[in-house]
Amino acid sequence: MDHDVPALLVKVGRSPQNHGCLGALRSLGRAGVPVYAMVEDRFTPCAVSRHLTGRFVVPTTGLEDPEALASTLAGIGRAIGRRAVAVPTDDESAVLLAEHAERLAEWFLLPPVPPGLPRRLASKEGMRRICIEHGVPTPRAHAPADRAQLVAFARELRYPVVLKNLEAYTRVRSPVVGHTTVVHDEDELLTLIGSCEAPSVLMQEYIPPSEAEDWITHLYCGAHGTPKAVFTGYKVRSWPVRSGATTRAWAWANPPLARLAADLCRRIGYSGVADLDWRYDRRDGRYKLVDFNPRVGAQFRLFEDAHGVDVVRAMYLDLTGCRIPHAHQSYGRMFVVGQLDVLSAAIGAWQERRLPSAVLPRRGTERAWLSWDDPWPAVAESVRFGGTVARRVTRPLRPRQPA
């Protein structure tokens, strides 16, 4: 690696417990790359990592004008003093970097992705239309224009249905749901959206767990959508249960899925790091694309090849003009997100009246937070997680303010 070229972890919005950001920091830092990060405050897990070269406390909300955010990034670039590889750690930062690439090129090395493509892919409706255009299976879905359409589409798809916030940035500015949410009946749907007359959501067909398997592909594509590193894995658990972010997954060989993901990126000309979620539907024997995240995935450290190259290292090597060594994916690795996986295992077992599977640690496990060579991020995360739990537990006990 070219250790003269630094990297910047770019973040828009408040997500101090983003373990994908920490994974990127550790991956590049351990390889000797100077790594800088945008952080919400001086005590986030990333901010206290021993692998961090420098932090920029930029508590953005996602409500800022994109031009102002681009100016902030340019200022950070000037402060670093050398062109750096910009690593997007959320959908909003991926959109920002792509749409302002020409302006930011003075300070950052960026993949040559078509400027409007990350926004289309981060949009649930945009991704659905891309799938239709290119013949990639995806669950049936609708983006309702108003409340009446929302109710009508739910009846057409039949309950339960899945609700997702529709777009990057709007999910920060006016979220309808806190995360991917399974809705079981019309009363629950109407309660969820409240008085909103034009909810910014995608309503998606629900594929029952008994008929489904959840799979992941992470990849890095160079210019013109050329796949340079492709990895596949199987999702064991998520939080919230069966509808949220990965809390435990296996690195598992799936050549047909790897080809499907790589071919899609090649056809649309996607360049950069990507995290794709798929659901295998046993009813028709097809892998259906559920989400296309045009940035570093939170669980990307599940995947690396025999040379220790993951998608972040692959991007760094490619953008700095270094060769990406060819090697096969390392299979059998496991990725675990500490306390969230414990919660998912416990609640899933209670709901299904069974003992949880795959709960014991094993050799080759990559942990989201805990690392013996970098312990302070796990301590910072434990404090923040404990504070979140305490606030939620004590919320019903707090006195209400008089009207």
Side-chain angles (χ1 to χ4, degrees):
M1 287 190 178
D2 186 350
H3 300 155
D4 290 333
V5 180
L8 173 69
L9 307 182
V10 183
K11 183 186 290 188
V12 175
R14 183 165 179 78
S15 55
Q17 293 162 282
N18 180 339
H19 50 270
C21 187
L22 179 62
L25 170 56
R26 285 171 169 168
S27 179
L28 293 175
R30 286 167 180 157
V33 175
V35 186
Y36 298 83
M38 297 170 64
V39 297
E40 291 83 352
D41 58 62
R42 295 183 297 118
F43 302 104
T44 70
C46 274
V48 299
S49 171
R50 65 182 291 267
H51 297 291
L52 187 67
T53 301
R55 59 184 176 230
F56 295 90
V57 178
V58 187
T60 60
T61 64
L63 303 179
E64 297 86 358
D65 180 76
E67 292 293 335
L69 289 172
S71 295
T72 298
L73 272 178
I76 291 174
R78 284 191 292 272
I80 293 173
R82 294 173 287 169
R83 289 185 81 196
V85 173
V87 182
T89 62
D90 50 50
D91 291 347
E92 288 74 20
S93 61
V95 171
L96 180 72
L97 290 169
E99 294 182 350
H100 294 82
E102 186 174 350
R103 175 182 176 185
L104 295 172
E106 178 182 0
W107 299 108
F108 298 106
L109 295 167
L110 301 166
V113 65
L117 187 56
R119 185 179 288 272
R120 285 190 70 197
L121 292 167
S123 162
K124 306 308 179 187
E125 175 65 4
M127 187 212 74
R128 186 183 74 87
R129 291 184 179 275
I130 286 174
C131 287
I132 293 171
E133 291 169 14
H134 294 277
V136 175
T138 189
R140 292 182 299 143
H142 298 287
D146 53 35
R147 189 186 186 92
Q149 278 194 1
L150 183 77
V151 172
F153 288 155
R155 292 173 181 173
E156 177 187 331
L157 292 175
R158 297 185 179 182
Y159 291 98
V161 295
V162 178
L163 279 190
K164 300 178 178 181
N165 291 307
L166 190 60
E167 310 273 358
Y169 286 100
T170 58
R171 70 180 184 134
V172 177
R173 294 169 181 156
S174 53
V176 178
V177 290
H179 47 74
T180 298
T181 301
V182 178
V183 181
H184 298 87
D185 54 46
E186 194 162 298
D187 286 343
E188 184 180 349
L189 176 65
L190 295 175
T191 300
L192 191 63
I193 64 170
S195 60
C196 183
E197 290 298 329
S200 178
V201 293
L202 181 82
M203 178 172 286
Q204 197 173 71
E205 169 192 16
Y206 177 75
I207 303 175
S210 60
E211 302 292 345
E213 296 174 4
D214 289 326
W215 288 82
I216 314 161
T217 53
H218 284 225
L219 67 169
Y220 171 71
C221 296
H224 312 297
T226 304
K228 298 202 171 188
V230 183
F231 302 99
T232 59
Y234 176 74
K235 184 186 289 191
V236 179
R237 279 191 291 273
S238 58
W239 181 259
V241 177
R242 290 185 294 277
S243 64
T246 301
T247 62
R248 184 176 290 253
W250 291 99
W252 204 266
N254 192 328
L257 184 59
R259 287 193 296 269
L260 183 61
D263 187 52
L264 172 61
C265 290
R266 188 183 293 109
R267 279 184 281 164
I268 64 178
Y270 180 77
S271 178
V273 173
D275 164 19
L276 283 67
D277 291 329
W278 304 81
R279 186 151 292 168
Y280 178 71
D281 191 340
R282 296 192 185 99
R283 298 171 300 182
D284 58 16
R286 297 194 299 172
Y287 290 98
K288 298 179 178 180
L289 184 58
V290 177
D291 283 310
F292 190 121
N293 302 302
R295 39 79 177 172
V296 172
Q299 70 279 4
F300 87 94
R301 280 296 303 146
L302 169 66
F303 304 114
E304 60 180 36
D305 66 17
H307 294 303
V309 175
D310 54 37
V311 292
V312 171
R313 289 189 180 186
M315 180 173 73
Y316 181 89
L317 288 168
D318 192 43
L319 294 181
T320 56
C322 299
R323 185 181 66 87
I324 302 173
H326 176 72
H328 294 293
Q329 176 178 343
S330 297
Y331 296 113
R333 287 169 56 82
M334 176 176 276
F335 183 82
V336 179
V337 186
Q339 56 270 54
L340 291 182
D341 188 59
V342 173
L343 286 171
S344 179
I347 293 176
W350 178 79
Q351 290 176 343
E352 298 175 9
R353 301 295 189 269
R354 60 163 178 78
L355 291 175
S357 62
V359 293
L360 297 177
R362 53 161 289 151
R363 188 177 180 182
T365 297
E366 178 85 13
R367 300 184 183 279
W369 302 110
L370 184 61
S371 175
W372 298 117
D373 77 324
D374 188 27
W376 288 111
V379 175
E381 159 60 15
S382 297
V383 171
R384 287 180 181 266
F385 183 80
T388 299
V389 172
R391 284 191 297 273
R392 291 185 179 180
V393 169
T394 60
R395 187 178 299 160
L397 306 177
R398 297 173 194 167
R400 295 191 177 187
Q401 297 296 322

